[in-house]
Amino acid sequence: MMAQVQVKEEKTIPNAVKFVMGGSAGMAATLVVQPLDLVKNRMQLSGSGGSKAYKTSFHCIQDIIGKEGVFALYNGISAGLLRQATYTTTRLGIYTWLFEMCSTGDKPPGFFTKAGLGMAAGIAGAFVGTPAEVALIRMTSDGRLPLAERRNYKNVFDALMRITREEGILTLWRGAIPTMGRAMVVNAAQLASYSQAKQLLLGTGFFSDNVGCHFAASMISGLVTTAASMPVDIAKTRIQNMKMIDGKPEYTGALNVLSRVIQQEGFFALWKGFTPYFLRLGPHTVLTFIVLEQMNAAYYEHVLGVKKSKGSL
């Protein structure tokens, strides 16, 4: 009798579950960092269109609470959650799926491959998430406008319906190109630097694949991503918030925004709102990756019955 050799197929998380886990991790993180996202948007818009310029992030927070109340820091939370449910679900779902496809056993893909996977996932996620992003920018910036000029959206669904009805459905994808450009930078920096930092930390022998390692890798990733993506983010924010002036758009494109910011506000204005952006992106990165890693580990152990020695990012 010929011996039959059975090859045990490695158990993996279904793609649909990866997408749900990615979105859930992003939404959980957003509940914590939404006030910082609002402050970041207000800082990036300050000084544009004759609006009030905030000196510091704390000045911005003080002004918002003093004039609009403490709960105003959570304006646009429905849009923030919908953005995570669309953008983060897509980008993290696609990234984890591609990451496993490009891994050989326990050997992860190389850094440049990770960056490429991050870019591909970011472009797809950004296109899907742009409508919620437009609503989020408008809802978080509404309080800086005079009462007569405020849009006063009730929630994200009211915002999406009114934008479609009043300005046309294509307005929901206003700024889609700089949004996708930002997503390429953010995801290439964030996902690749997280995976690479985690790999390097594990290689030192001082870390094991646990929450401490995930936290350290996330903080490194957050700092790299903040520095790399802020100029693209400020262009995206101003385009999505712009109004028509005498029938013409305030900006003609991302390069027009960047050149005008440099001319009128100085080169380092491209990093205006760095502190709230990092304080928002850093914890959001930390919380998203920690929650995602824990959900991945729990699914492997309790659903698939596999005790993974290494994570899936």
Side-chain angles (χ1 to χ4, degrees):
M1 293 179 64
M2 293 181 64
Q4 291 184 335
V5 179
Q6 291 184 335
V7 178
K8 187 177 180 181
E9 186 177 349
E10 184 180 358
K11 295 181 180 180
T12 59
I13 300 175
N15 291 331
V17 176
K18 293 174 187 173
F19 280 74
V20 172
M21 285 181 174
S24 299
M27 292 173 77
T30 290
L31 290 172
V32 178
V33 304
Q34 175 66 16
L36 296 170
D37 204 21
L38 182 142
V39 173
K40 183 268 295 183
N41 289 339
R42 294 281 183 96
M43 290 287 290
Q44 289 184 333
L45 292 168
S46 71
S48 67
S51 67
K52 180 178 180 179
Y54 297 111
K55 298 176 183 177
T56 65
S57 303
F58 297 106
H59 176 214
C60 181
I61 293 172
Q62 185 180 34
D63 188 71
I64 292 169
I65 295 176
K67 293 181 178 178
E68 304 169 53
V70 67
F71 292 110
L73 293 173
Y74 272 89
N75 283 348
I77 184 63
S78 61
L81 291 173
L82 181 62
R83 179 179 180 273
Q84 296 301 320
T86 52
Y87 169 66
T88 302
T89 295
T90 304
R91 77 180 180 105
L92 288 183
I94 290 177
Y95 183 76
T96 53
W97 168 49
L98 293 176
F99 187 93
E100 287 194 359
M101 283 183 58
C102 295
S103 299
T104 306
D106 284 337
K107 185 179 179 181
F111 177 78
F112 291 107
T113 301
K114 293 171 188 172
L117 300 182
M119 286 184 181
I123 291 173
F127 182 80
V128 173
T130 294
E133 179 99 15
V134 171
L136 175 64
I137 296 298
R138 293 187 175 196
M139 292 176 74
T140 53
S141 64
D142 212 31
R144 60 184 273 276
L145 299 172
L147 289 174
E149 296 180 21
R150 293 182 185 178
R151 296 180 173 104
N152 294 317
Y153 298 131
K154 297 176 183 177
N155 52 56
V156 65
F157 300 108
D158 178 51
L160 297 176
M161 287 188 292
R162 280 183 52 191
I163 290 170
T164 302
R165 185 173 64 248
E166 296 169 8
E167 304 172 58
I169 193 168
L170 293 181
T171 305
L172 294 176
W173 277 270
R174 175 180 288 172
I177 292 176
T179 299
M180 289 189 285
R182 171 189 176 275
M184 287 179 63
V185 175
V186 166
N187 284 272
Q190 186 185 61
L191 298 176
S193 64
Y194 174 80
S195 297
Q196 196 68 22
K198 179 181 168 185
Q199 186 177 333
L200 292 173
L201 290 171
L202 290 172
T204 64
F206 294 105
F207 290 88
S208 56
D209 197 353
N210 55 25
V211 174
C213 177
H214 302 160
F215 177 83
S218 298
M219 288 304 294
I220 294 171
S221 173
L223 187 60
V224 171
T225 307
T226 299
S229 65
M230 277 213 71
V232 188
D233 190 70
I234 196 170
K236 173 199 70 68
T237 299
R238 293 201 179 187
I239 287 175
Q240 291 178 327
N241 189 66
M242 71 180 178
K243 292 186 175 183
M244 303 297 286
I245 300 174
D246 296 327
K248 296 181 180 180
E250 187 177 356
Y251 301 106
T252 58
L255 291 178
N256 180 241
V257 174
L258 297 177
S259 64
R260 285 172 59 179
V261 168
I262 293 171
Q263 290 173 4
Q264 298 171 10
E265 304 170 50
F267 178 75
F268 291 104
L270 295 176
W271 284 270
K272 182 183 290 184
F274 183 93
T275 301
Y277 190 71
F278 174 68
L279 290 177
R280 181 262 182 201
L281 188 61
H284 194 277
T285 301
V286 170
L287 291 169
T288 298
F289 283 129
I290 286 179
V291 171
L292 184 58
E293 293 269 22
Q294 294 304 306
M295 286 195 294
N296 280 334
Y299 192 93
Y300 271 111
E301 183 174 355
H302 300 296
V303 179
L304 300 179
V306 177
K307 184 73 172 178
K308 290 264 292 185
S309 60
K310 289 191 176 183
S312 58
L313 283 175

